[in-house]
Amino acid sequence: MEPVIRVENLVKRYASRELGRRAAAFTAVDSVSFSILPGSTLALVGESGSGKSSVALCLACLEPVTSGQIWFDGRDVAALSERESRAVRPKLQIVFQDPATSLNPRWTVGEIVAEPLLVKGRVANRERRERAAQGLERVGLGAEYLERRPAELSGGQRQRVAIARALILEPKLLILDEVLSALDCSIQGQIANLLVELQRALGLAYLFITHDLRMAAHLADEIAVMSRGKIVEQGAVETILRGARCAETQNLLGASLVDRETEAVRER
Ligand SMILES: Nc1ncnc2c1ncn2[C@@H]1O[C@H](COP(=O)(O)OP(=O)(O)OP(=O)(O)O)[C@@H](O)[C@H]1O
Ligand SMILES: [Mg+2]
C-alpha cells in the first residue's frame, strides 16, 4: 500500500530572534523522516519544545521548509509555491489544541464549519448550510448548533466543531496537534473515540501529536518519539511501550503515569 504522506529528511530552522546580532539559526526539526499509511495513525510524541508543532506546520504548508521532502498526493509539498500549495491544502487539514482561539468568536458554528467551502468558491448558500449540518452530525452535534457561537459551547463541543470544519473538504490526512490536551479527562476519552470512529468510517490517516505517551498508545498504530528536533525512537506501539530503549521514551512514560495519578487525585 502507498503511504498517504512520506516525509524525508525534513529540516526546519527558525531565524534567531535576537535583535542586532547575527546569531545562528535555531534548528527545531532535524532530519525527520516518516510515512503514514491510509487509514492508520502515527503518533508523534515528545516533550515540550521537541519540534512536534514545527513538523505539523511544515506538513500543513503553514511554515516554509528549510530542506527535505514531503511527498503527498504525488507531489513534493515542500517544493510548492504559495499558490500551488493552495490546491493541496484542502486534502491535508490541521486541528489545533485550543479551539477557543482557532474558531472565530463572531461567527456562528454553521459559518465556521462551512468556511472552507467559501474559500473553494461557488458553493451556494443553501448547499453550504446543508453540508455544515451534515458535518456537525458526523461529529455528534445536531443541526440546532448551526446558529450558536463558540462562546456558547463547551471545550469538547468546540473541538468537535473544529474537527467538523477540518473534515468538510474531505481530506485524506488530519494533523491533530494536541487536540485533547486542553480537555478534561472524561471529554478526552469521548473525543478520542470520535476520532477512532471517523477514521474507520472515512479511511482517514492521522498524524496525532501529543506529549502523552499513554494516549498515543491508545490511538496509534505506530509511535515516533521526538527529542530536540530528532526522532529518537520509532516503531509499533507494543514495541515502543515494551522496549522503551531511550531515556526520552522512559521519561515520557513516567510523565504520563504521573498525569494519571494527579487526575485520580483530582477526581477524588
Ligand atoms: N516561529 C518561531 N521562531 C523561532 N523559534 C521557534 C518558532 N516556533 C518554534 N520555535 C522553537 O522551536 C522549538 C520547537 O518548537 P515546537 O513548537 O515545534 O515544539 P513542540 O514539540 O510542539 O512543543 P510543545 O509540546 O510545547 O507544543 C522550540 O524551541 C521553539 O522555541
Ligand atoms: Mg506544539
Side-chain angles (χ1 to χ4, degrees):
M1 211 175 356
E2 272 287 298
V4 173
I5 192 160
R6 202 173 76 237
V7 177
E8 285 175 1
N9 300 313
L10 178 66
V11 175
K12 174 65 189 173
R13 290 196 193 97
Y14 293 107
S16 171
R17 284 187 187 130
E18 272 180 81
L19 288 173
R21 250 197 251 165
R22 230 188 289 155
F26 178 76
T27 305
V29 179
D30 193 356
S31 201
V32 159
S33 303
F34 59 81
S35 56
I36 310 177
L37 292 172
S40 80
T41 299
L42 173 70
L44 198 55
V45 299
E47 80 273 25
S48 184
S50 55
K52 307 180 296 295
S53 294
S54 300
V55 170
L57 294 173
C58 288
L59 264 51
C61 309
L62 295 173
E63 273 287 349
V65 165
T66 306
S67 68
Q69 287 104 46
I70 299 170
W71 294 99
F72 180 82
D73 218 20
R75 279 178 285 193
D76 176 12
V77 175
L80 298 180
S81 69
E82 165 76 25
R83 204 173 62 83
E84 290 167 324
S85 76
R86 264 179 242 157
V88 177
R89 279 191 208 177
K91 300 198 189 107
L92 192 156
Q93 293 283 320
I94 184 164
V95 182
F96 295 101
Q97 170 171 356
D98 188 3
T101 54
S102 61
L103 306 179
N104 189 329
R106 287 189 297 268
W107 289 11
T108 66
V109 164
E111 287 167 338
I112 290 168
V113 171
E115 193 226 13
L117 296 171
L118 266 183
V119 175
K120 218 176 159 213
R122 280 198 232 103
V123 181
N125 278 340
R126 215 176 116 187
E127 192 194 332
R128 274 211 307 279
R129 206 186 142 80
E130 268 167 29
R131 284 185 56 185
Q134 286 165 6
L136 284 178
E137 201 163 315
R138 206 155 51 183
V139 298
L141 296 174
E144 71 269 22
Y145 285 89
L146 280 172
E147 302 305 327
R148 300 229 196 142
R149 281 168 218 275
E152 300 163 48
L153 304 178
S154 70
Q157 288 169 337
R158 272 187 225 136
Q159 205 53 299
R160 286 175 194 267
V161 169
I163 293 167
R165 178 191 145 93
L167 290 178
I168 201 142
L169 295 178
E170 297 168 358
K172 293 181 181 174
L173 172 69
L174 268 197
I175 301 166
L176 303 159
D177 191 353
E178 302 273 11
V179 292
L180 305 177
S181 308
L183 304 172
D184 287 347
C185 200
S186 62
I187 312 295
Q188 281 187 349
Q190 289 172 17
I191 304 290
N193 289 340
L194 172 68
L195 290 171
V196 171
E197 277 167 34
L198 289 169
Q199 182 169 52
R200 281 205 196 115
L202 305 172
L204 292 163
Y206 290 155
L207 178 63
F208 182 77
I209 295 176
T210 179
H211 57 266
D212 181 348
L213 193 50
R214 302 276 154 183
M215 190 52 93
H218 178 60
L219 279 175
D221 302 288
E222 233 191 298
I223 294 180
V225 181
M226 269 189 96
S227 176
R228 295 183 201 173
K230 288 187 196 294
I231 291 181
V232 291
E233 196 163 3
Q234 182 167 6
V237 170
E238 310 80 58
T239 321
I240 297 284
L241 289 186
R242 213 180 312 123
R245 284 182 293 119
C246 291
E248 286 84 3
T249 315
Q250 285 162 4
N251 284 343
L252 286 169
L253 267 173
S256 46
L257 282 177
V258 174
D259 280 353
R260 283 287 152 93
E261 278 158 20
T262 37
E263 278 300 335
V265 170
R266 224 186 287 157
E267 275 164 18
R268 255 183 254 144

Coordinates of all heavy atoms in Angstrom, one line a residue, residues 12-17 26-29 44-57 63 97 177-178 209-211 226 228-229, ligand 1:
K12 N 13.7 22.0 9.7 CA 13.1 23.3 9.9 C 14.0 24.2 10.8 O 14.2 23.8 11.9 CB 11.7 23.2 10.5 CG 11.1 24.5 10.8 CD 10.8 25.4 9.6 CE 10.4 26.8 10.0 NZ 10.2 27.7 8.8
R13 N 14.5 25.3 10.2 CA 15.3 26.2 11.1 C 14.5 27.5 11.2 O 13.9 27.9 10.2 CB 16.7 26.5 10.4 CG 17.6 25.3 10.5 CD 19.0 25.7 10.3 NE 19.8 24.4 10.1 CZ 20.1 23.9 8.9 NH1 19.8 24.6 7.8 NH2 20.7 22.8 8.8
Y14 N 14.6 28.1 12.3 CA 14.0 29.4 12.5 C 15.1 30.4 12.6 O 16.1 30.2 13.3 CB 13.1 29.5 13.8 CG 11.9 28.6 13.8 CD1 11.8 27.4 14.5 CD2 10.8 29.0 13.0 CE1 10.7 26.6 14.5 CE2 9.6 28.2 13.0 CZ 9.6 27.1 13.7 OH 8.4 26.3 13.7
A15 N 14.9 31.6 12.0 CA 15.9 32.6 12.1 C 15.9 33.1 13.6 O 14.9 33.1 14.2 CB 15.5 33.8 11.2
S16 N 17.1 33.4 14.1 CA 17.1 33.8 15.5 C 16.4 35.1 15.7 O 16.5 36.0 14.9 CB 18.6 33.9 16.0 OG 18.6 34.5 17.2
R17 N 15.8 35.2 16.9 CA 15.0 36.5 17.1 C 15.9 37.6 17.7 O 15.4 38.7 17.9 CB 13.9 36.2 18.0 CG 12.7 35.5 17.3 CD 11.6 35.4 18.3 NE 10.5 34.6 17.8 CZ 9.9 33.6 18.4 NH1 10.3 33.3 19.6 NH2 8.9 32.9 17.9
F26 N 18.1 28.7 14.6 CA 17.8 27.6 15.5 C 17.1 26.4 14.8 O 16.2 26.6 14.0 CB 16.8 28.1 16.6 CG 16.4 27.0 17.6 CD1 17.3 26.6 18.6 CD2 15.2 26.5 17.5 CE1 16.9 25.6 19.4 CE2 14.8 25.5 18.3 CZ 15.7 25.0 19.3
T27 N 17.7 25.2 15.0 CA 17.2 24.0 14.3 C 16.1 23.4 15.1 O 16.4 22.7 16.1 CB 18.3 23.0 13.9 OG1 19.3 23.7 13.2 CG2 17.8 21.9 13.1
A28 N 14.8 23.5 14.7 CA 13.7 23.0 15.5 C 13.4 21.6 15.1 O 12.9 20.7 15.9 CB 12.5 23.9 15.4
V29 N 13.6 21.3 13.8 CA 13.4 19.9 13.2 C 14.6 19.5 12.5 O 15.1 20.2 11.6 CB 12.1 19.9 12.3 CG1 11.9 18.5 11.7 CG2 10.9 20.4 13.0
L44 N 3.1 11.3 17.1 CA 4.4 12.0 17.3 C 4.4 12.5 18.7 O 3.6 13.3 19.1 CB 4.4 13.1 16.3 CG 5.8 13.7 15.9 CD1 6.8 12.7 15.4 CD2 5.6 14.8 14.9
V45 N 5.2 11.9 19.5 CA 5.3 12.3 21.0 C 6.6 12.8 21.3 O 7.6 12.6 20.6 CB 5.0 11.1 21.9 CG1 3.6 10.5 21.7 CG2 6.0 10.0 21.8
G46 N 6.6 13.7 22.3 CA 7.9 14.3 22.8 C 7.6 15.4 23.7 O 6.5 15.9 23.8
E47 N 8.7 15.7 24.5 CA 8.5 16.8 25.5 C 8.3 18.1 24.8 O 8.5 18.3 23.6 CB 9.7 16.8 26.5 CG 10.9 17.5 26.0 CD 11.9 16.6 25.2 OE1 11.4 15.6 24.6 OE2 13.1 17.0 25.1
S48 N 7.9 19.1 25.6 CA 7.7 20.5 25.1 C 8.9 21.0 24.4 O 10.0 20.9 25.0 CB 7.2 21.4 26.3 OG 6.9 22.6 25.8
G49 N 8.8 21.6 23.2 CA 9.9 22.2 22.5 C 10.7 21.2 21.7 O 11.7 21.6 21.1
S50 N 10.2 20.0 21.6 CA 11.0 19.0 20.8 C 10.8 19.1 19.3 O 11.5 18.5 18.6 CB 10.6 17.5 21.3 OG 9.2 17.3 21.2
G51 N 9.8 19.9 18.9 CA 9.7 20.2 17.5 C 8.5 19.6 16.8 O 8.3 19.7 15.6
K52 N 7.5 19.1 17.6 CA 6.3 18.4 17.1 C 5.5 19.4 16.2 O 5.1 19.1 15.1 CB 5.5 17.8 18.2 CG 6.3 16.9 19.2 CD 5.4 16.4 20.3 CE 4.8 17.4 21.2 NZ 5.8 18.1 22.0
S53 N 5.2 20.6 16.8 CA 4.3 21.5 16.1 C 5.0 22.1 14.9 O 4.4 22.4 13.9 CB 3.9 22.7 17.0 OG 3.1 22.2 18.0
S54 N 6.3 22.2 14.9 CA 7.1 22.6 13.7 C 6.9 21.7 12.6 O 6.7 22.1 11.4 CB 8.5 22.8 14.1 OG 8.7 23.8 15.1
V55 N 6.9 20.4 12.9 CA 6.7 19.3 11.9 C 5.3 19.5 11.3 O 5.1 19.6 10.1 CB 6.8 17.9 12.5 CG1 6.3 16.9 11.5 CG2 8.3 17.6 12.8
A56 N 4.3 19.7 12.2 CA 2.9 19.8 11.8 C 2.7 21.0 10.9 O 2.1 20.9 9.8 CB 2.0 20.0 13.0
L57 N 3.3 22.2 11.2 CA 3.1 23.4 10.4 C 3.8 23.2 9.1 O 3.2 23.7 8.1 CB 3.7 24.6 11.2 CG 3.0 25.0 12.5 CD1 3.7 26.1 13.3 CD2 1.5 25.4 12.2
E63 N 4.3 26.7 7.4 CA 5.6 27.2 7.6 C 6.5 26.7 6.4 O 6.3 25.6 6.0 CB 6.2 26.7 8.9 CG 5.9 27.5 10.2 CD 6.7 28.8 10.3 OE1 7.6 29.0 9.5 OE2 6.3 29.6 11.2
Q97 N -4.7 22.6 19.3 CA -5.0 22.3 20.7 C -6.2 23.1 21.2 O -7.1 22.6 21.9 CB -3.8 22.7 21.6 CG -4.2 22.6 23.1 CD -2.9 22.7 24.0 OE1 -1.8 22.8 23.5 NE2 -3.1 22.8 25.3
D177 N -2.9 18.4 16.4 CA -1.8 18.9 17.3 C -2.3 19.1 18.7 O -2.9 20.2 18.9 CB -1.2 20.1 16.6 CG 0.1 20.5 17.4 OD1 0.5 19.9 18.4 OD2 0.8 21.5 16.9
E178 N -2.1 18.2 19.6 CA -2.5 18.3 21.0 C -4.0 18.6 21.1 O -4.4 19.3 21.9 CB -1.7 19.4 21.7 CG -0.2 19.2 21.7 CD 0.3 18.3 22.8 OE1 -0.5 17.7 23.5 OE2 1.6 18.3 23.0
I209 N -0.4 14.3 17.3 CA 0.7 14.9 18.1 C 0.3 15.0 19.6 O -0.8 15.6 19.9 CB 1.1 16.2 17.5 CG1 1.6 16.0 16.1 CG2 2.1 17.0 18.4 CD1 1.9 17.3 15.3
T210 N 1.2 14.5 20.5 CA 0.8 14.6 21.9 C 2.1 14.5 22.7 O 3.1 14.0 22.2 CB -0.1 13.5 22.3 OG1 -0.4 13.6 23.7 CG2 0.5 12.1 22.0
H211 N 2.0 14.9 24.0 CA 3.1 14.6 24.9 C 2.7 13.5 25.8 O 3.5 13.1 26.7 CB 3.5 15.9 25.7 CG 2.4 16.4 26.5 ND1 1.6 17.5 26.0 CD2 1.8 16.1 27.7 CE1 0.6 17.7 26.9 NE2 0.7 16.9 27.9
M226 N 10.0 12.1 19.6 CA 10.9 13.2 19.2 C 11.6 13.8 20.4 O 11.1 13.9 21.5 CB 10.1 14.3 18.5 CG 10.0 14.2 17.0 SD 9.3 15.7 16.3 CE 10.8 16.6 15.8
R228 N 14.6 17.1 20.9 CA 15.4 18.1 20.3 C 15.5 18.1 18.8 O 16.6 18.1 18.2 CB 16.8 18.0 20.9 CG 16.8 18.2 22.4 CD 18.2 18.2 22.9 NE 18.3 17.9 24.3 CZ 19.4 17.7 25.0 NH1 20.5 17.6 24.4 NH2 19.3 17.5 26.3
G229 N 14.3 18.0 18.2 CA 14.2 18.1 16.8 C 14.4 16.8 16.0 O 14.2 16.7 14.8
Ligands
LIG1 N1 8.4 30.9 15.0 C1 9.4 30.5 15.7 N2 10.6 31.2 15.7 C2 11.6 30.8 16.4 N3 11.7 29.6 17.2 C3 10.6 28.9 17.2 C4 9.4 29.3 16.5 N4 8.4 28.3 16.6 C5 9.0 27.4 17.5 N5 10.3 27.7 17.8 C6 11.2 26.9 18.6 O1 11.3 25.7 18.0 C7 11.4 24.7 19.0 C8 10.3 23.6 18.7 O2 9.0 24.2 18.9 P1 7.7 23.4 18.6 O3 6.6 24.4 18.9 O4 7.8 22.8 17.3 O5 7.7 22.3 19.8 P2 6.6 21.3 20.3 O6 7.2 20.0 20.4 O7 5.4 21.5 19.5 O8 6.4 21.9 21.8 P3 5.0 21.9 22.7 O9 4.8 20.4 23.2 O10 5.3 22.8 23.8 O11 3.9 22.3 21.8 C9 11.2 25.4 20.4 O12 12.5 25.5 20.9 C10 10.6 26.7 20.0 O13 11.0 27.7 20.9

